[in-house]
Amino acid sequence: MFERLREDIGSVFHRDPAARNTFEVLTNYPGLHALLFHRFSHWLWSLGLKWLARTISTVARWLTGVEIHPGATIGRRFFIDHGMGVVIGETAVIGDDVTLYQGVTLGGTSWNKGKRHPTIGNGVVVGAGAKILGPFDVGEGAKIGSNSVVTKAVPAGATVVGIPGRVIVKRPPVEEGDETRRKEMEERMGFDAYGVTEEMPDPVARAMRSLLDHMHAVDDRIENMCKALRKVNSEYQNGELPPLQEEDFDCVREDQPEDK
């Protein structure tokens, strides 16, 4: 029990930069309180004490603003940020390392008994006000945009926005070496595409990432051409490329000093 609690507190520090210390997290995070109430009510539900489980769930809703049905199944390191207005239905299944923001609903679209609510894969992030309705799967690592309404399955690693929700980004696999080179180039340019697109892809950031990938390919081709030229003519010398000047990229930095 205490190991799970330490994991839950650690997940708050990992995903909320406003968290300052353990005491503050334990006393002032309604999402954590709702999760602890749910674990107790879910245990009672599994023992067949359904009325008592529902009563505790109702008390938790009064105290935290988060309504989690005691029948819902929730994995490890689950984090609800802010929490107010979150609703999780009876047959919802939530994997590990999932993050929900305020106003999220994991609901159903049918009054029939049985599986009515979504299954959320590991590492999914659901933005504020999003509604995921129906007995389908949201794949691992997917991101659901704020205020989206999702009524059909979401592939792993996809980003979904809009009403009805539509997939706008599905990341292709990236080689480890290419990912490292891309990050190095972004640091040199002062461009933080990952900070911009972690939760929701920005079209300018996506265009910049495409340009960076193209630049990698051009660099590789030029390097191969230079190697071939050196084999043909041993006297051939590579010319130095002009260095990137930091001031040339001030326009894309977020930490520019304000004009006075």
Side-chain angles (χ1 to χ4, degrees):
M1 179 179 69
F2 290 106
E3 179 184 356
R4 294 288 292 272
L5 181 59
R6 282 195 295 269
E7 279 189 349
D8 297 331
I9 295 172
S11 70
V12 174
F13 284 113
H14 179 66
R15 290 176 246 178
D16 185 1
R20 294 182 298 177
N21 56 67
T22 300
F23 182 74
E24 181 181 68
V25 170
L26 284 172
T27 54
N28 291 291
Y29 275 71
L32 177 61
H33 302 158
L35 178 60
L36 297 178
F37 272 113
H38 170 72
R39 289 204 180 126
F40 182 48
S41 66
H42 184 71
W43 176 68
L44 295 173
W45 184 269
S46 65
L47 295 177
L49 303 174
K50 300 188 184 300
W51 178 87
L52 183 57
R54 287 298 301 270
T55 301
I56 291 174
S57 174
T58 301
V59 171
R61 184 186 64 183
W62 290 342
L63 296 175
T64 67
V66 178
E67 181 173 352
I68 308 176
H69 193 286
T73 302
I74 297 178
R76 303 175 78 98
R77 298 174 296 278
F78 177 57
F79 178 52
I80 304 175
D81 200 2
H82 301 293
M84 182 63 68
V86 169
V87 177
I88 300 175
E90 176 186 3
T91 60
V93 178
I94 299 174
D96 299 334
D97 303 300
V98 171
T99 301
L100 306 185
Y101 289 88
Q102 68 272 16
V104 168
T105 298
L106 305 183
T109 56
S110 170
W111 290 345
N112 298 325
K113 292 187 179 296
K115 177 68 171 170
R116 307 184 303 281
H117 303 94
T119 297
I120 310 298
N122 298 337
V124 171
V125 177
V126 184
K131 315 301 178 188
I132 306 177
L133 308 174
F136 53 83
D137 292 347
V138 176
E140 293 188 6
K143 290 178 172 51
I144 310 300
S146 297
N147 297 315
S148 300
V149 178
V150 184
T151 57
K152 59 183 179 181
V154 176
T159 297
V160 178
V161 298
I163 303 173
R166 63 189 186 280
V167 175
I168 61 170
V169 172
K170 187 175 181 181
R171 297 190 186 94
V174 178
E175 296 293 335
E176 183 176 355
D178 293 341
E179 187 75 9
T180 302
R181 291 182 62 189
R182 180 191 287 168
K183 288 183 179 180
E184 290 175 353
M185 185 169 291
E186 288 173 350
E187 289 175 359
R188 290 171 63 190
M189 295 174 60
F191 175 71
D192 187 12
Y194 295 88
V196 173
T197 59
E198 183 178 0
E199 302 299 340
M200 183 54 49
D202 179 87
V204 176
R206 287 162 57 191
M208 289 293 293
R209 292 181 66 179
S210 297
L211 287 173
L212 291 175
D213 290 340
H214 181 75
M215 291 167 64
H216 292 162
V218 171
D219 285 346
D220 288 338
R221 183 166 298 183
I222 292 175
E223 184 177 350
N224 292 332
M225 291 171 61
C226 290
K227 289 179 180 178
L229 287 172
R230 282 196 298 270
K231 291 180 180 179
V232 174
N233 183 1
S234 59
E235 297 181 358
Y236 172 78
Q237 298 293 329
N238 290 340
E240 291 293 332
L241 294 175
L244 293 173
Q245 303 296 329
E246 291 191 7
E247 57 269 20
D248 294 336
F249 300 96
D250 286 342
C251 61
V252 296
R253 295 180 186 275
E254 295 184 356
D255 56 349
Q256 300 178 61
E258 295 183 359
D259 295 333
K260 295 184 180 179

